[in-house]
Amino acid sequence: MSPPEPEPEPEPVPVPEPDSDSDSVIDDHARALATLLAGRRAVALVGAGLSTESGIPDYRGAGRAPRTPITHREFLHSAAARARYWARSVIGWPAVARAQPNAGHLALAALERLGAVTAVITQNVDGLHHAAGSARVVELHGSLWRVRCLGCGAIERRDALQARLAALNPTLAPVAATSIAPDGDADVEAARLAAFRVADCAACGGLLKPDVVFFGDNVPRPIVDESYALVDGAEALVVLGSSLTVWSGYRFVRRAAERGQPVAIVNLGPTRGDPLAALRVEAPLGALLPRVYSCLTNTPLADSR
């Protein structure tokens, strides 16, 4: 059977120029996005920009110094790289674990309950969608809340591993993080890294790895296929807080555009997907998304719970 003919490209939704984050401009942006969503089943593709208001920085946001995260190959083949990763993670983890969903996360979960958003495909590994109450979440890059043994496949909670790592490295655990990344990576003095002791799998003594996709690794095929199926079953795609620099997320924008689905992109700064967007908005998500909910329901978000 030949594939169905794609629908005509959607007409761009009028939207004011992103020259202000004032209440009136954000209200205009919210109405524009609500207009695009009204009567459509949408999938949300989420990046680190949604979590910045929860205190978790992104990799490429304005004012961020360049940072080189660990690669999959480094982690597998270098004991020193693994020790460096886990030492930095011990310090960075408490900030990630303490983070709470912000107004954007809560509004996105409310939009899912409303039926305007059918699922969330997230590039984030912080677990904040689940904490906010989102039900259908595909974690493209995994979750920092899980650790997997590369030998026996056993799963351990990250907070349980934190306790074991702290016991092995009592002088390191109390150190406060001065700078962290979205994956919980924190800056650590070189002298502290030399003596760091890495914990092994409690079940088999094997190599432990956070259950996330490191740079240079591939998103597992079943996760990709599930995400494509969600996009194919939707009538619109909404990108929230992602520059779409990496292919793992950008592919779904390409897919939606190829199928004639309107793509809305909300991000502070340019994105790789801007030429494919029917609607392009620059606004803080914590302010915008609750207003989108209000536009669709004529009810303030606080009154919806």
Side-chain angles (χ1 to χ4, degrees):
M1 180 184 298
S2 60
E5 289 293 323
E7 297 180 9
E9 286 194 19
E11 290 295 323
V13 178
V15 63
E17 290 297 317
D19 58 358
S20 169
D21 61 357
S22 68
D23 282 350
S24 63
V25 171
I26 293 176
D27 284 341
D28 289 343
H29 287 320
R31 283 190 288 269
L33 183 52
T35 298
L36 185 145
L37 292 176
R40 292 186 170 103
R41 300 185 311 276
V43 166
L45 174 63
V46 179
L50 183 60
S51 290
T52 55
E53 292 176 58
S54 293
I56 298 177
D58 58 14
Y59 279 113
R60 302 177 179 87
R64 292 286 293 166
R67 196 179 193 110
T68 303
I70 191 170
T71 67
H72 182 72
R73 180 178 178 81
E74 282 180 304
F75 190 89
L76 291 185
H77 297 287
S78 170
R82 289 193 296 274
R84 182 173 67 250
Y85 173 84
W86 284 119
R88 294 161 70 108
S89 180
V90 164
I91 294 176
W93 170 251
V96 175
R98 286 193 305 267
Q100 296 295 313
N102 62 56
H105 291 104
L106 297 172
L108 185 56
L111 288 169
E112 183 184 5
R113 292 192 295 272
L114 185 65
V117 171
T118 58
V120 173
I121 302 170
T122 185
Q123 297 170 282
N124 298 341
V125 294
D126 50 41
L128 292 178
H129 292 294
H130 294 294
S134 291
R136 186 74 186 273
V137 180
V138 177
E139 295 173 320
L140 268 185
H141 297 160
S143 173
L144 283 177
W145 287 85
R146 301 184 300 267
V147 179
R148 183 182 298 274
C149 176
L150 298 181
C152 69
I155 298 291
E156 183 176 5
R157 284 184 56 88
R158 178 62 182 81
D159 48 3
L161 178 63
Q162 181 76 2
R164 294 206 290 130
L165 288 169
L168 289 171
N169 303 277
T171 64
L172 183 64
V175 177
T178 57
S179 175
I180 66 167
D183 60 358
D185 185 30
D187 293 332
V188 181
E189 297 172 4
R192 293 181 179 274
L193 296 177
F196 185 81
R197 298 176 61 193
V198 175
D200 296 324
C201 174
C204 75
L207 185 68
L208 293 176
K209 176 183 174 294
D211 197 19
V212 300
V213 177
F214 282 142
F215 281 74
D217 196 7
N218 295 316
V219 177
R221 192 70 228 177
I223 298 296
V224 175
D225 291 342
E226 181 181 5
S227 300
Y228 272 135
L230 289 172
V231 173
D232 291 349
E235 296 167 318
L237 180 68
V238 182
V239 179
L240 303 173
S242 175
S243 65
L244 301 171
T245 301
V246 296
W247 173 249
S248 63
Y250 177 64
R251 69 179 108 192
F252 302 115
V253 174
R254 288 278 301 271
R255 179 71 155 238
E258 288 167 359
R259 293 176 61 83
Q261 298 170 0
V263 175
I265 298 178
V266 184
N267 191 62
L268 296 176
T271 85
R272 186 180 180 185
D274 286 354
L276 301 176
L279 173 65
R280 178 68 174 89
V281 170
E282 293 216 16
L285 290 163
L288 178 75
L289 293 181
R291 299 183 201 202
V292 173
Y293 178 91
S294 297
C295 288
L296 292 171
T297 64
N298 294 316
T299 306
L301 180 57
D303 296 342
S304 69
R305 300 191 209 177

